[in-house]
Amino acid sequence: MVTMSVQFQVSSSSSSSCLWLPNSPSPPNSPLFLPTRTTRFSSSPLAATPTFSSQSPTIQIIGNHTFDGSNQGGTNLWTDLDTDLYHWTKVLRPVQWFPGHIAKAEKELKEQLKLMDVVIEVRDGRIPMSTSHPQMDLWLGNRKRILVLNREDMISTADRNAWAEYFTRRGIKVVFSNGQLGMGAMKLGRLAKELAADVNVKRRAKGLLPRPVRAGIIGYPNVGKSSLINRLIKRRMCPAAPRPGVTRDLRWVRFGKDLELLDSPGILPMRISDQSAAIKLAICDDIGERSYDVADVAGILVQMLTKFPTVGRDMLCKRYKIDEDSECGKIFIEKLAVHLFNGDVHQAAYRVLSDFRKGRFGWTALERPPR
């Protein structure tokens, strides 16, 4: 029988978000952590005595599948990461956030949709799928639509190209933008006018005077809707801040003589059934902080970043000057807390999340198009 080279470590933390093998004897409140090691496999790995070997190929066991050097950065990385996230989030408290103003805004938005000639849906370029409302297609029907992937400056060229190809293949008009610097704003304005050009053609045919094209800008909280409008009209007409829930009322804003824009509050589903998406919303600050445990979310982020070939555990350890080889993100956060924040886990977790949001680990998306 071939031996399996792996090391087992069990945590006593009941709220840990660490890696857990769903088919192992260990329950979720006692996760089994599997650090990256050189391994060999046996037909009964859990019954075998763990040993280390320097002769076998380097394989990293994560969740219930493996990564090796051949698929780093490829399709398997993203597919397997989705599987990991599903298992990691199963042991966490569900992330849910639906403040009262969203219910009111959703009702009003549905009424305003009747007045719109074209709808501009804004998503976070780092997580385009997770910032897609499950009922959006039902609400919009056949209405003309433009998809904006904002924060293009926060993703890599490879991420951008992958998403551009994905949406183009599906016949979806997509614009990449940076609401803070205004990139893509003018292109978006021109495209909105072009798509709705037939509005005034029909009005003239009926003997009516032309009117401005009405474009509604909708999307999840904190994806950059208000900043995008401010860049379009070149002045601060809509309140904007880098946190969710700033815009609470619908507001029409005139852009020149030909275009009217509707700024709307961020709209979330009443219940987020996909907790992998919810965690990504929390990581990217697209959902209220009171809806999640910062330490849990930061722990998941660490586990995700260690899988990215552009980051990895070595970069994390080097940045924070700590030595940690456990696959458990929660343990990493706890060790960082002791090293830099006098044991304050919340501050350590917030630092890691803030560093990611500011691009300290390099700009990268947390999603790639489904295959």
Side-chain angles (χ1 to χ4, degrees), residues 31-167:
L32 180 63
F33 309 135
L34 299 179
T36 304
R37 291 285 185 177
T38 300
T39 64
R40 287 182 179 176
F41 299 92
S42 73
S43 59
S44 180
L46 293 178
T49 302
T51 60
F52 290 97
S53 169
S54 61
Q55 303 300 318
S56 54
T58 301
I59 297 180
Q60 183 176 348
I61 303 179
I62 305 171
N64 58 354
H65 54 272
T66 62
F67 279 70
D68 62 33
S70 65
N71 63 18
Q72 288 296 302
T75 302
N76 289 345
L77 168 64
W78 298 96
T79 302
D80 291 346
L81 187 58
D82 286 341
T83 303
D84 280 332
L85 277 171
Y86 172 77
H87 292 298
W88 295 343
T89 57
K90 282 178 68 175
V91 300
L92 301 181
R93 173 174 63 88
V95 175
Q96 301 293 343
W97 190 64
F98 194 76
H101 77 272
I102 290 184
K104 177 176 177 286
E106 181 179 309
K107 182 178 179 180
E108 293 176 349
L109 181 61
K110 290 178 181 177
E111 290 297 318
Q112 292 294 325
L113 281 172
K114 301 172 184 177
L115 303 176
M116 297 179 192
D117 303 311
V118 60
V119 173
I120 300 170
E121 182 189 1
V122 183
R123 299 186 194 178
D124 190 324
R126 297 167 294 179
I127 48 172
M129 303 305 289
S130 295
T131 46
S132 172
H133 198 292
Q135 293 183 300
M136 190 64 69
D137 291 338
L138 179 64
W139 292 346
L140 301 187
N142 295 324
R143 190 167 280 100
K144 294 179 179 179
R145 181 175 176 182
I146 302 171
L147 177 62
V148 175
L149 296 189
N150 197 29
R151 301 193 176 116
E152 72 160 336
D153 56 314
M154 295 185 177
I155 61 176
S156 69
T157 301
D159 295 327
R160 188 187 189 281
N161 292 342
W163 284 111
E165 180 184 356
Y166 174 79
F167 288 115

Side-chain angles (χ1 to χ4, degrees), residues 168-186:
T168 299
R169 285 201 312 265
R170 283 154 181 76
I172 299 174
K173 294 186 180 297
V174 60
V175 175
F176 289 85
S177 70
N178 175 354
Q180 293 296 319
L181 300 179
M183 298 174 184
M186 299 312 296

Side-chain angles (χ1 to χ4, degrees), residues 97-109 219-222 225 243-250 264-268 270 286-288 290:
W97 190 64
F98 194 76
H101 77 272
I102 290 184
K104 177 176 177 286
E106 181 179 309
K107 182 178 179 180
E108 293 176 349
L109 181 61
Y220 270 42
N222 203 34
K225 301 182 298 297
R243 64 180 186 276
V246 173
T247 302
R248 290 176 173 264
D249 300 298
L250 278 73
S264 63
I267 304 296
L268 283 167
M270 183 176 292
D286 293 335
I287 195 170
R290 284 183 290 181

Side-chain angles (χ1 to χ4, degrees), residues 313-361:
R313 183 164 299 278
D314 288 345
M315 177 186 284
L316 290 169
C317 291
K318 183 177 180 180
R319 174 168 183 79
Y320 299 113
K321 297 180 174 59
I322 60 176
D323 182 17
E324 178 56 56
D325 62 358
S326 169
E327 287 294 333
C328 178
K330 197 72 173 287
I331 290 178
F332 184 95
I333 297 299
E334 290 169 354
K335 193 162 187 176
L336 176 61
V338 172
H339 182 61
L340 292 180
F341 299 97
N342 296 319
D344 191 328
V345 174
H346 185 276
Q347 285 295 322
Y350 188 80
R351 167 64 67 84
V352 173
L353 289 173
S354 178
D355 284 348
F356 170 78
R357 294 163 183 170
K358 294 177 181 178
R360 300 288 191 260
F361 310 115

